[in-house]
């Protein structure tokens, strides 16, 4: 798969700030990272650690990442932070390769499990990721299990012009559901944390995977994104979404002017991919003016063999287009909404971002 491309230092004094790697201006302080060692920091993790050590009241800050590959896992717990590519969009690649079937790192359970695989884990509010490639390259989920590229859990999160790449479970939009289906299923950093539904905005992104590769409980808006399904060589090649929207939430996932595609280098067969299935019974997914490729199954949605899903799940669309609608035969428990309902699904109403 080819990923499409889309000075002075701050501190208590100029000299001290120069050694800290912070840019001084009226803008938020900026740290620069370069994998080739040409900047103060050669890893993004080192820049994050430096920011966390500052006694600055968690003021807004920015990390600029120069082109290159950064093979590291990141934990972002500082709010009011922007991490962005310093040069061309998607010229900085953050990649790691952990899968859920790998051995447990600490003796909790036999295996690592889904929620300890993330390449980037955002656990803070008001974080923006811009122009980055974030990838989990562990491989095929049939061999390595679930493998998260981005674990996003916070409010007012923005992901702009990024490529999120993986196979099974590429993007997790936290929080976790209230309860595990199997004991130990939520092993990981937020297993016992309060379940707080955050608002997340994904704009102009490429999100690629195969099984349930956009999943979770957030209220999330996807605008002008490409949702790319990979080929597994099976009759059912995958499911783009697996929402677990809480029952009390009026919105779950809203896709606005998105394109549901397949990898042009190795396309999934026509009619082999579902738009989604409900991870929990109250899943909500709405498509607005989205283009569906020929790889989308005529019935569109799957109920995951859950008796209550057909009663409570909300899978719906306004004005779907593309080859995937030519043979569209969605089940009766899904909906095509009239134009009059469009006003209910404006971005301001859904996420306020």
């Amino acid at each position: 798969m080819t990923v499409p491309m889309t000075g002075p230092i701050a501190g208590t004094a100029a000299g001290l700030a120069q050694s800290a790697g912070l840019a001084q201006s009226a803008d938020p302080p900026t740290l620069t990272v370069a994998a080739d060692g040409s900047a103060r920091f050669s890893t993004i993790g080192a820049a994050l650690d430096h920011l966390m050590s500052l006694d600055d009241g968690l003021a807004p800050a920015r990390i600029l990442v120069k082109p290159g590959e950064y093979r590291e896992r990141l934990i972002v717990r500082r709010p009011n932070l922007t991490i962005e590519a310093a040069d061309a969009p998607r010229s900085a690649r953050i990649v790691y390769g952990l899968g859920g079937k790998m051995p447990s790192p600490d003796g909790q359970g036999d295996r690592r499990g889904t929620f300890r695989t993330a390449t980037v884990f955002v656990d803070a509010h008001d974080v923006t990721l811009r122009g980055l490639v974030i990838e989990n390259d562990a491989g095929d989920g049939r061999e390595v299990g679930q493998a998260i590229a981005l674990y996003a859990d916070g409010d007012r999160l923005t992901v702009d012009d990024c490529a999120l790449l993986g196979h099974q479970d590429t993007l997790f939009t936290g929080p976790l559901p209230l309860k595990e289906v199997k004991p130990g299923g939520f092993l990981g950093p937020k297993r016992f944390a309060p379940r707080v539904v955050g608002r997340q905005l994904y704009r102009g992104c490429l999100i690629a995977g195969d099984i349930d590769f956009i999943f979770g409980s957030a209220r999330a808006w996807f605008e002008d994104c490409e949702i790319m399904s990979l080929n597994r060589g099976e009759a059912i090649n995958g499911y783009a979404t697996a929402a677990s929207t809480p029952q009390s939430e009026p919105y779950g996932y809203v896709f606005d002017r998105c394109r549901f595609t397949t990898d042009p280098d190795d396309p999934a067969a026509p009619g082999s991919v579902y738009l989604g299935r409900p991870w929990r019974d109250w899943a909500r997914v709405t498509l607005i003016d989205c283009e569906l490729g020929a790889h989308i199954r005529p019935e569109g949605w799957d109920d995951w063999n859950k008796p209550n899903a057909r009663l409570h799940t909300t899978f719906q669309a306004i004005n779907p287009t593309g080859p995937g609608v030519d043979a569209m035969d969605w089940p009766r428990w899904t909906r095509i909404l009239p134009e009059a309902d469009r006003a209910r699904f404006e971005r301001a109403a859904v996420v306020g971002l």
Side-chain angles (χ1 to χ4, degrees), residues 199-217:
R199 296 164 294 170
Q200 303 181 11
L201 168 62
Y202 298 83
R203 186 167 46 199
C205 293
L206 166 65
I207 307 172
D210 46 44
I211 302 294
D212 306 331
F213 62 97
I214 302 173
F215 74 115
S217 305

Side-chain angles (χ1 to χ4, degrees), residues 1 3 93-98 117-119 133-142 144-150 163-172 206-215 227-232 237 239 263:
M1 177 181 61
V3 179
R93 189 184 202 95
I94 307 167
V95 58
Y96 213 75
L98 294 177
T117 64
T119 298
V133 177
I134 300 173
E135 180 177 4
N136 189 317
D137 66 354
D140 191 325
R142 289 169 290 192
V144 302
Q146 297 92 331
I148 296 173
L150 174 61
L164 310 178
L165 309 179
H167 286 266
Q168 184 170 352
D169 291 6
T170 304
L171 169 63
F172 176 56
L206 166 65
I207 307 172
D210 46 44
I211 302 294
D212 306 331
F213 62 97
I214 302 173
F215 74 115
I227 313 302
M228 180 184 288
S229 291
L230 305 182
N231 183 25
R232 288 161 46 95
N237 268 304
Y239 309 82
D263 184 356

Side-chain angles (χ1 to χ4, degrees), residues 231-251:
N231 183 25
R232 288 161 46 95
E234 298 187 354
I236 303 299
N237 268 304
Y239 309 82
T241 67
S244 53
T245 317
Q247 181 177 349
S248 60
E249 277 295 307
Y251 302 101

Side-chain angles (χ1 to χ4, degrees), residues 36-275:
D36 63 6
S38 61
R40 168 66 176 169
F41 301 98
S42 59
T43 68
I44 305 167
L48 285 168
D49 289 345
H50 178 78
L51 281 175
M52 292 298 287
S53 73
L54 298 179
D55 184 14
D56 63 353
L58 300 177
R62 182 171 64 157
I63 296 176
L64 291 179
V65 186
K66 289 192 173 184
E69 180 175 292
Y70 298 82
R71 182 160 285 275
E72 54 181 313
R73 299 184 71 199
L74 302 181
I75 298 175
V76 181
R77 288 201 165 103
R78 180 182 170 114
N80 308 312
L81 176 64
T82 296
I83 305 175
E84 62 181 303
D87 295 326
R90 305 183 188 175
S91 60
R93 189 184 202 95
I94 307 167
V95 58
Y96 213 75
L98 294 177
K101 290 183 179 180
M102 294 180 179
S104 171
D106 55 12
Q108 294 188 65
D110 295 329
R111 298 181 175 183
R112 176 173 288 273
T114 304
F115 301 100
R116 295 189 288 182
T117 64
T119 298
V120 175
F121 172 37
V122 177
D123 185 22
H125 302 322
D126 299 297
V127 172
T128 295
L129 306 176
R130 181 174 295 121
L132 304 170
V133 177
I134 300 173
E135 180 177 4
N136 189 317
D137 66 354
D140 191 325
R142 289 169 290 192
E143 299 175 3
V144 302
Q146 297 92 331
I148 296 173
L150 174 61
Y151 183 147
D153 198 346
D155 194 26
R156 299 179 300 275
L157 303 184
T158 299
V159 183
D160 263 333
D161 198 9
C162 288
L164 310 178
L165 309 179
H167 286 266
Q168 184 170 352
D169 291 6
T170 304
L171 169 63
F172 176 56
T173 65
L176 292 162
L178 289 176
K179 296 181 180 179
E180 304 162 314
V181 173
K182 298 179 180 179
F186 290 167
L187 279 175
K190 304 290 295 246
R191 182 184 186 186
F192 300 113
R195 305 313 199 234
V196 179
V197 176
R199 296 164 294 170
Q200 303 181 11
L201 168 62
Y202 298 83
R203 186 167 46 199
C205 293
L206 166 65
I207 307 172
D210 46 44
I211 302 294
D212 306 331
F213 62 97
I214 302 173
F215 74 115
S217 305
R219 186 187 295 198
W221 177 275
F222 300 85
E223 180 176 308
D224 192 26
C225 291
E226 180 176 4
I227 313 302
M228 180 184 288
S229 291
L230 305 182
N231 183 25
R232 288 161 46 95
E234 298 187 354
I236 303 299
N237 268 304
Y239 309 82
T241 67
S244 53
T245 317
Q247 181 177 349
S248 60
E249 277 295 307
Y251 302 101
Y253 293 161
V254 178
F255 293 85
D256 176 53
R257 293 167 290 149
C258 292
R259 301 167 304 286
F260 287 78
T261 69
T262 185
D263 184 356
D265 297 329
D266 183 17
S272 64
V273 174
Y274 286 97
L275 291 165

